[in-house]
Coordinates of all heavy atoms in Angstrom, one line a residue:
I624 N 40.7 2.0 -88.6 CA 41.8 0.9 -88.7 C 42.9 1.2 -87.6 O 43.3 2.3 -87.5 CB 42.5 1.1 -90.1 CG1 41.6 1.0 -91.2 CG2 43.6 0.0 -90.2 CD1 40.8 -0.3 -91.3
G625 N 43.1 0.2 -86.8 CA 44.0 0.4 -85.6 C 45.4 0.6 -86.0 O 45.9 0.8 -87.1
K626 N 46.3 0.6 -84.9 CA 47.7 0.9 -85.0 C 48.4 -0.4 -85.6 O 48.0 -1.5 -85.3 CB 48.3 1.2 -83.7 CG 47.8 2.5 -83.1 CD 48.4 2.8 -81.7 CE 47.9 4.1 -81.1 NZ 48.5 4.4 -79.8
K627 N 49.5 -0.1 -86.4 CA 50.4 -1.1 -86.9 C 49.6 -2.3 -87.6 O 50.0 -3.5 -87.4 CB 51.2 -1.6 -85.7 CG 52.2 -0.6 -85.2 CD 52.9 -1.1 -84.0 CE 53.9 -2.2 -84.3 NZ 54.7 -2.6 -83.1
C628 N 48.6 -2.0 -88.4 CA 47.9 -3.0 -89.2 C 48.7 -3.1 -90.5 O 49.2 -2.1 -91.0 CB 46.5 -2.6 -89.4 SG 45.5 -2.7 -87.8
L629 N 48.6 -4.3 -91.2 CA 49.0 -4.5 -92.5 C 47.8 -4.9 -93.4 O 47.1 -5.9 -93.1 CB 50.1 -5.6 -92.6 CG 51.5 -5.3 -92.0 CD1 52.3 -6.6 -92.0 CD2 52.2 -4.1 -92.8
I630 N 47.7 -4.2 -94.5 CA 46.5 -4.4 -95.3 C 47.0 -4.6 -96.8 O 47.5 -3.5 -97.4 CB 45.4 -3.3 -95.3 CG1 45.0 -3.2 -93.8 CG2 44.3 -3.6 -96.2 CD1 44.0 -2.0 -93.6
A631 N 46.9 -5.7 -97.3 CA 47.4 -6.0 -98.6 C 46.5 -5.6 -99.8 O 45.4 -5.2 -99.6 CB 47.7 -7.5 -98.8
S632 N 47.0 -5.7 -101.0 CA 46.3 -5.2 -102.2 C 44.9 -5.8 -102.4 O 44.6 -6.9 -102.1 CB 47.1 -5.5 -103.5 OG 46.5 -5.0 -104.6
Q633 N 44.0 -4.9 -102.9 CA 42.6 -5.3 -103.3 C 41.7 -5.7 -102.2 O 40.7 -6.3 -102.4 CB 42.7 -6.4 -104.4 CG 43.4 -5.9 -105.7 CD 43.5 -7.0 -106.8 OE1 42.7 -8.0 -106.7 NE2 44.3 -6.8 -107.8
V634 N 42.1 -5.3 -101.0 CA 41.1 -5.5 -99.9 C 40.0 -4.4 -100.0 O 40.2 -3.4 -100.3 CB 41.9 -5.4 -98.6 CG1 40.9 -5.2 -97.4 CG2 42.8 -6.6 -98.3
G635 N 38.8 -4.9 -99.6 CA 37.6 -3.9 -99.6 C 37.0 -4.0 -98.3 O 36.5 -5.0 -97.8
I636 N 37.0 -2.9 -97.5 CA 36.4 -2.9 -96.2 C 35.3 -1.9 -96.2 O 35.4 -0.7 -96.6 CB 37.5 -2.3 -95.2 CG1 38.8 -3.2 -95.1 CG2 36.9 -2.2 -93.8 CD1 39.9 -2.8 -94.2
A637 N 34.1 -2.3 -95.7 CA 32.8 -1.5 -95.8 C 32.9 -0.5 -94.7 O 33.8 -0.4 -93.9 CB 31.7 -2.4 -95.7
G638 N 31.8 0.3 -94.6 CA 31.8 1.3 -93.6 C 31.5 0.9 -92.3 O 31.0 -0.3 -92.0
C639 N 31.9 1.7 -91.2 CA 31.6 1.5 -89.8 C 32.2 0.2 -89.3 O 31.7 -0.5 -88.4 CB 30.1 1.4 -89.5 SG 29.3 3.0 -90.1
V640 N 33.3 -0.2 -89.8 CA 34.1 -1.4 -89.4 C 35.2 -0.9 -88.3 O 35.7 0.2 -88.6 CB 34.8 -2.2 -90.6 CG1 35.7 -3.3 -90.1 CG2 33.7 -2.7 -91.5
V641 N 35.5 -1.7 -87.4 CA 36.5 -1.4 -86.4 C 37.6 -2.5 -86.6 O 37.2 -3.7 -86.3 CB 36.1 -1.3 -84.9 CG1 37.3 -1.2 -84.0 CG2 35.1 -0.2 -84.8
V642 N 38.8 -2.2 -87.1 CA 39.9 -3.1 -87.2 C 40.9 -2.7 -86.0 O 41.5 -1.6 -86.0 CB 40.5 -3.0 -88.5 CG1 41.8 -4.0 -88.6 CG2 39.6 -3.3 -89.6
E643 N 40.9 -3.6 -85.1 CA 41.8 -3.3 -83.9 C 43.3 -3.4 -84.2 O 43.7 -3.6 -85.4 CB 41.5 -4.2 -82.7 CG 40.0 -4.0 -82.2 CD 39.6 -4.7 -81.1 OE1 40.3 -5.7 -80.7 OE2 38.5 -4.5 -80.5
D644 N 44.2 -3.1 -83.3 CA 45.6 -2.9 -83.6 C 46.2 -4.3 -84.1 O 45.8 -5.3 -83.7 CB 46.3 -2.6 -82.2 CG 46.0 -1.1 -81.8 OD1 45.2 -0.4 -82.6 OD2 46.2 -0.8 -80.7
E645 N 47.3 -4.1 -84.9 CA 48.2 -5.2 -85.3 C 47.4 -6.3 -86.1 O 47.8 -7.4 -85.9 CB 48.9 -5.7 -84.1 CG 49.9 -4.6 -83.5 CD 50.6 -5.1 -82.3 OE1 51.4 -6.1 -82.5 OE2 50.4 -4.6 -81.2
V646 N 46.4 -6.0 -86.7 CA 45.7 -6.9 -87.6 C 46.3 -7.0 -89.0 O 46.7 -5.9 -89.5 CB 44.2 -6.5 -87.7 CG1 43.5 -7.3 -88.8 CG2 43.5 -6.7 -86.5
T647 N 46.5 -8.2 -89.5 CA 47.0 -8.4 -90.9 C 45.8 -8.9 -91.7 O 45.2 -9.9 -91.5 CB 48.2 -9.4 -90.9 OG1 49.2 -9.0 -90.0 CG2 48.7 -9.7 -92.3
I648 N 45.6 -8.2 -92.9 CA 44.6 -8.6 -93.9 C 45.3 -8.8 -95.2 O 45.7 -7.8 -95.8 CB 43.5 -7.4 -93.9 CG1 43.0 -7.2 -92.6 CG2 42.4 -7.9 -94.9 CD1 42.0 -6.0 -92.5
W649 N 45.2 -10.0 -95.8 CA 45.9 -10.3 -97.0 C 44.9 -10.0 -98.2 O 43.8 -9.7 -98.0 CB 46.3 -11.8 -97.0 CG 47.5 -11.9 -96.0 CD1 47.4 -12.8 -94.9 CD2 48.8 -11.3 -96.0 NE1 48.6 -12.7 -94.2 CE2 49.5 -11.8 -95.0 CE3 49.4 -10.4 -96.9 CZ2 50.8 -11.3 -94.5 CZ3 50.7 -9.9 -96.5 CH2 51.4 -10.4 -95.5
G650 N 45.5 -10.1 -99.4 CA 44.9 -9.7 -100.7 C 43.5 -10.2 -100.8 O 43.1 -11.3 -100.6
Q651 N 42.6 -9.2 -101.4 CA 41.3 -9.6 -102.0 C 40.3 -10.0 -100.8 O 39.3 -10.6 -101.1 CB 41.3 -10.6 -103.1 CG 42.0 -10.1 -104.3 CD 42.0 -11.0 -105.5 OE1 41.6 -12.1 -105.3 NE2 42.2 -10.4 -106.6
V652 N 40.6 -9.7 -99.6 CA 39.6 -9.9 -98.5 C 38.5 -8.8 -98.6 O 38.7 -7.7 -98.9 CB 40.4 -9.8 -97.2 CG1 39.3 -9.8 -96.0 CG2 41.3 -10.9 -97.0
G653 N 37.3 -9.4 -98.4 CA 36.2 -8.5 -98.3 C 35.5 -8.4 -97.0 O 35.4 -9.5 -96.4
I654 N 35.2 -7.3 -96.4 CA 34.8 -7.3 -95.0 C 33.5 -6.4 -95.0 O 33.5 -5.3 -95.5 CB 35.8 -6.5 -94.1 CG1 37.1 -7.4 -94.1 CG2 35.3 -6.4 -92.7 CD1 38.2 -6.7 -93.3
T655 N 32.4 -7.1 -94.4 CA 31.1 -6.4 -94.4 C 31.0 -5.2 -93.4 O 31.9 -5.1 -92.5 CB 30.0 -7.4 -94.1 OG1 28.7 -6.9 -94.4 CG2 30.0 -7.8 -92.7
S656 N 30.0 -4.4 -93.4 CA 29.9 -3.2 -92.6 C 29.6 -3.6 -91.2 O 29.0 -4.7 -90.8 CB 28.9 -2.3 -93.1 OG 27.6 -2.8 -93.1
G657 N 30.0 -2.7 -90.2 CA 29.5 -2.6 -88.8 C 30.0 -3.7 -87.9 O 29.4 -4.1 -86.8
I658 N 31.2 -4.3 -88.3 CA 31.7 -5.4 -87.5 C 33.1 -5.0 -86.9 O 33.7 -4.0 -87.3 CB 31.9 -6.7 -88.3 CG1 32.9 -6.7 -89.4 CG2 30.5 -7.2 -88.8 CD1 33.2 -8.0 -90.0
T659 N 33.6 -5.9 -86.0 CA 35.0 -5.6 -85.4 C 35.8 -6.8 -85.6 O 35.5 -7.9 -85.5 CB 34.7 -5.4 -83.8 OG1 33.9 -4.3 -83.7 CG2 36.0 -5.2 -83.2
I660 N 37.1 -6.5 -86.1 CA 38.1 -7.5 -86.2 C 39.1 -7.3 -85.0 O 39.7 -6.3 -84.8 CB 38.9 -7.3 -87.5 CG1 38.0 -7.2 -88.7 CG2 39.9 -8.4 -87.7 CD1 37.1 -8.4 -89.0
G661 N 39.2 -8.3 -84.3 CA 40.0 -8.2 -82.9 C 41.4 -8.1 -83.2 O 42.0 -8.4 -84.3
K662 N 42.2 -7.6 -82.2 CA 43.5 -7.3 -82.2 C 44.4 -8.6 -82.6 O 44.1 -9.7 -82.1 CB 44.0 -6.9 -80.8 CG 45.5 -6.4 -80.7 CD 45.8 -5.9 -79.3 CE 47.3 -5.4 -79.3 NZ 47.6 -4.9 -77.9
K663 N 45.4 -8.3 -83.5 CA 46.3 -9.3 -83.9 C 45.6 -10.5 -84.7 O 46.3 -11.6 -84.9 CB 47.2 -9.9 -82.8 CG 48.1 -8.8 -82.2 CD 49.0 -9.4 -81.2 CE 50.0 -8.4 -80.6 NZ 51.0 -8.9 -79.6
A664 N 44.4 -10.3 -85.2 CA 43.9 -11.3 -86.1 C 44.7 -11.3 -87.4 O 45.1 -10.2 -87.8 CB 42.4 -11.1 -86.3
V665 N 44.6 -12.5 -88.1 CA 45.3 -12.6 -89.4 C 44.2 -13.1 -90.3 O 43.7 -14.2 -90.0 CB 46.5 -13.4 -89.4 CG1 47.0 -13.7 -90.8 CG2 47.6 -12.9 -88.5
I666 N 43.8 -12.4 -91.4 CA 42.9 -12.9 -92.4 C 43.5 -13.2 -93.7 O 44.1 -12.4 -94.3 CB 41.7 -11.8 -92.5 CG1 41.2 -11.4 -91.2 CG2 40.7 -12.3 -93.4 CD1 40.2 -10.2 -91.2
S667 N 43.4 -14.4 -94.1 CA 44.1 -14.9 -95.3 C 43.4 -14.5 -96.6 O 42.2 -14.0 -96.5 CB 44.2 -16.4 -95.3 OG 45.0 -16.9 -94.2

């Protein structure tokens, strides 16, 4: 998980994921393994 990210309640992130800097992930998001979330993305 990168720098200055915000991750809200009940998020589930699988193994081997790269979340780049300043990403915001809101509640109950599910993320599969082995992928990359780019810098400053916002996931509702």
Side-chain angles (χ1 to χ4, degrees):
I624 307 295
K626 296 179 180 180
K627 295 174 65 177
C628 293
L629 288 175
I630 302 177
S632 181
Q633 299 182 15
V634 166
I636 303 176
C639 304
V640 172
V641 175
V642 178
E643 295 182 349
D644 297 345
E645 300 179 58
V646 169
T647 300
I648 304 173
W649 293 116
Q651 297 189 340
V652 169
I654 300 177
T655 195
S656 63
I658 66 170
T659 298
I660 309 299
K662 184 176 180 179
K663 294 188 177 182
V665 177
I666 305 176
S667 294

